Structure formats: C-alpha cells, structure tokens
C-alpha cells in the first residue's frame, strides 16, 4: 500500500451505520442515489476508514448532496468544481482518503474541463459519478449523457446531440482505474468502490443511477438483458485495448473493473522530487540556468 492508502484502525472496527449522519436524505423515493450512499457506508466500514481522515467532496446536483449524509469531513461545493476542491484537500492533507461524488451534469458539462487534468495528475482519490442521464435537481433538462433522440424539457422534439460515454472518456484521458457499476446493486457497487479507494492513483467509477422522477420507473431496465458482470480474472484489466472494447455500449454492457494501471501517483512523484532536492541530487532551476551561462 502507498503512503496515501486509507488509514485503518485495527483496534476499532466501524460499522456502516457509523458513517451515517442523522440528516435524512431528501432524494425522491426510489432514487438510485440511496443505493450509492448505502454502498458507500458499507465500503467505508469494510475498509474501516477513520472518519477524521476521510473527506467526501461534491459539486452541485441531486447526487452531490452525499457529503451531507456521511459522518466525516465533507464539502458540497459549487457546480462542476468538485475535482478542484478535492485536489486542494488531497494536496493539503495527503493522508486523507478523498472521495468525490457527483452527477453527469456536474462532471461532464460545466465540470468537464477538470476531468482530464485530475486524470493526468493521478492524485490518489476516487471519483464516483452517478449518471442518471438527466439534470434532476433542476427538473429534467437533457444532460451530456442523455440518449440521442430522447425527449426532455430541453429537447422536446428529441435530443439532437450524441451522448458522452463516461468510461470511454475516462480511459481516453488516462485515468488509471476505470470501472462501471449499477446503482441498484449495493453489493457490486461496494466491491468496486473498495477497489477504487484502494487503488494507488486517480480512480473513476461510473454508476448507472436511475432518476425515478424525470426518467421514469426502471430507467435502466432495458439494459438488464445486456448487462454482464465481469468475474475476477475474466478480463485482463491491464490490457488497454480490451478495456477499450469493454467500455463501449455494445451487445453487452460490461460491469466491473474495466481498466487498472500501476503508475506512480502524484504524491509519490512529489516525494521523490522533494527527497532528491533535499539530498542535493536534483538541481534547482537557478543551477540549471547557471550551467548554460557563459
Ligand atoms: Fe433522484 Fe431524480 Fe429525484 Fe433527483 S430528481 S432526487 S436524481 S429521483
């Protein structure tokens, strides 16, 4: 495990309810985000994360309410800026386990510009994107993942645009852990979340999380016959090409860890540079420039 791995107190085993705050969620009954927050409680308990070393950060949207429901440090930020706030938290307190929660609108529209930069930094934090393919909080406008041709309040004759595939995007911008799961399966979600939190680097988990109010009951039911839950070892998670195929919405919709790459995290690289510098084996910019001066 890296120095940024979750802090585990073996003396006191936490239970999922220890991470639950008294504040009751205000989501609509049946919203997929209930499943996600419950899977998160289970993940935190399974990893026995210390609440004082845990921060949940979000942007704006229905799913971004999650920090308010977790008994740990939390920050419900501004629209599309969850990754920037989380980056600040992680840089200031590298020992903190940082989990980012947000929706498709928050992360793939106004927040899109931050995604590739979070990926290339490879900071050790986990980004959980709850994708309901609609703007729920603002009452049903099409989002960047809304299906082509779908009628919404802002596409009354059908969505002209093509949707973004979030896992394909994550893979393309160099995320070192890419996974997909479904908001109605707490066991699977929590297994994936655990692996994502334990990953050394930036991890991205795409969750198909239904919006019962603006996308109707059983939003993802039509995908069920195509859903395929990957078994451990069934797929080589280090194979980029294989991962690329499995990110696509083809005949099968693959769930599980699609890609994982071992790579030095930002903080590990930072420590290496810092130590080299302290030991005098790395030159300062002034020293490098001096060598070129006559
Ligand atoms: Fe969930 Fe949709 Fe209701 Fe928002 S509007 S709480 S996403 S069901």
């Amino acid at each position: 495990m890296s120095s940024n791995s979750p802090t585990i107190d073996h003396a006191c085993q936490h239970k999922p309810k220890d991470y639950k705050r008294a504040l009751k969620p205000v989501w609509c009954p049946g919203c997929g985000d209930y499943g996600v927050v419950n899977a998160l409680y289970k993940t935190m308990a399974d990893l026995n994360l210390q609440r004082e070393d845990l921060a949940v950060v979000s942007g704006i949207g229905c799913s971004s309410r999650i920090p308010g429901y977790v008994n740990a440090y939390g920050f419900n930020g501004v629209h599309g800026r969850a990754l920037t706030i989380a980056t600040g938290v992680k840089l200031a307190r590298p020992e903190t386990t940082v989990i980012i929660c947000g929706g498709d609108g928050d992360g793939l529209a106004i927040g899109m510009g931050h995604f590739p930069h979070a990926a290339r930094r490879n900071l050790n934090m986990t980004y959980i994107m709850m994708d309901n393919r609609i703007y729920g909080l603002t009452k049903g406008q099409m989002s960047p993942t809304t299906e082509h041709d779908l009628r919404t309040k802002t596409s009354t004759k059908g969505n002209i645009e093509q949707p973004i595939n979030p896992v394909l995007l994550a893979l393309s911008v160099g995320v070192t852990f890419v996974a997909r799961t479904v908001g109605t399966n707490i066991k699977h979600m929590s297994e994936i979340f655990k692996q994502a939190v334990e990953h050394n680097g930036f991890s991205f988990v795409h969750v198909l999380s239904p919006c019962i109010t603006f996308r109707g009951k059983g939003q993802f039911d039509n995908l069920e016959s195509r859903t395929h839950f990957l078994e451990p070892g069934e797929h080589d998670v280090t194979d980029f090409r294989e991962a690329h195929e499995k990110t696509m919405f083809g005949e099968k919709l693959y769930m599980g860890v699609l890609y994982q790459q071992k790579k030095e995290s930002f903080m590990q690289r930072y420590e290496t540079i810092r130590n080299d510098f302290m030991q005098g084996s790395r030159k300062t910019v002034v020293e490098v420039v001096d060598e070129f001066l006559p």
Side-chain angles (χ1 to χ4, degrees):
M1 275 192 191
S2 74
S3 57
N4 293 334
S5 296
T7 315
I8 296 175
D9 177 358
H10 297 282
C12 162
Q13 178 60 53
H14 286 101
K15 297 187 172 63
K17 67 176 174 52
D18 297 331
Y19 299 92
K20 199 171 179 175
R21 284 191 65 197
L23 190 66
K24 292 263 177 279
V26 293
W27 294 313
C28 311
C31 174
D33 297 344
Y34 285 101
V36 179
V37 77
N38 280 304
L40 264 175
Y41 296 146
K42 181 168 166 25
T43 302
M44 290 164 182
D46 287 351
L47 292 172
N48 206 19
L49 300 179
Q50 300 306 291
R51 286 167 300 181
E52 62 275 20
D53 290 328
L54 172 63
V56 183
V57 178
S58 71
I60 293 292
C62 293
S63 53
S64 288
R65 293 181 186 274
I66 282 186
Y69 308 138
V70 178
N71 191 5
Y73 286 109
F75 198 111
N76 187 183
V78 287
H79 205 200
R81 302 296 179 262
L83 287 171
T84 57
I85 296 161
T87 299
V89 172
K90 191 68 188 176
L91 288 176
R93 291 283 304 271
E95 70 279 16
T96 304
T97 299
V98 178
I99 299 175
I100 304 124
C101 296
D104 41 302
D106 183 71
L108 297 175
I110 190 169
M112 172 70 116
H114 300 294
F115 193 41
H117 301 293
R120 71 191 179 85
R121 278 185 204 114
N122 202 30
L123 265 165
N124 198 359
M125 46 191 203
T126 297
Y127 183 20
I128 297 171
M129 179 178 285
M130 283 149 271
D131 182 5
N132 53 23
R133 302 178 175 179
I134 200 85
Y135 282 94
L137 189 69
T138 49
K139 307 208 180 309
Q141 299 85 359
M142 64 176 186
S143 85
T145 54
T146 300
E147 298 89 326
H148 179 64
D149 253 352
L150 193 92
R151 291 178 183 222
T152 71
K153 284 188 180 163
T154 45
S155 57
T156 51
K157 301 281 186 268
N159 183 12
I160 297 170
E161 298 169 7
Q162 293 293 334
I164 290 172
N165 176 342
V167 279
L168 180 59
L169 175 74
L171 199 65
S172 312
V173 295
V175 178
T176 52
F177 180 103
V178 181
R180 179 162 51 207
T181 180
V182 59
T184 47
N185 189 331
I186 292 180
K187 190 167 175 283
H188 190 259
M189 265 189 291
S190 132
E191 269 311 310
I192 297 295
F193 292 167
K194 256 191 281 179
Q195 293 180 57
V197 172
E198 286 184 316
H199 173 70
N200 182 41
F202 184 63
S203 50
F204 174 73
V205 184
H206 179 225
V207 185
L208 292 170
S209 177
C211 171
I212 190 135
T213 302
F214 295 105
R215 294 300 311 265
K217 209 167 168 227
Q219 181 185 352
F220 295 115
D221 282 1
N222 62 332
L223 297 178
E224 227 164 63
S225 57
R226 286 162 54 203
T227 301
H228 179 92
F229 288 90
L230 290 161
E231 296 291 337
E234 182 185 343
H235 151 72
D236 180 2
V237 294
T238 64
D239 187 327
F240 186 85
R241 278 172 191 270
E242 212 180 302
H244 182 268
E245 278 169 27
K246 289 195 163 56
T247 60
M248 307 302 275
F249 293 110
E251 264 174 42
K252 286 187 179 173
L253 183 64
Y254 291 97
M255 298 287 165
V257 180
L258 304 174
Y259 185 65
Q260 185 165 22
Q261 185 190 12
K262 279 191 183 155
K263 200 174 178 184
E264 208 174 29
S265 72
F266 183 97
M267 292 313 293
Q268 285 173 321
R269 186 73 194 133
Y270 173 83
E271 282 302 321
T272 304
I273 291 173
R274 186 173 174 274
N275 290 339
D276 286 354
F277 182 74
M278 297 303 277
Q279 286 161 15
S281 57
R282 182 174 289 266
K283 292 171 183 160
T284 64
V285 175
V286 174
E287 285 167 338
V288 172
V289 172
D290 274 353
E291 282 180 8
F292 284 95
L293 292 176

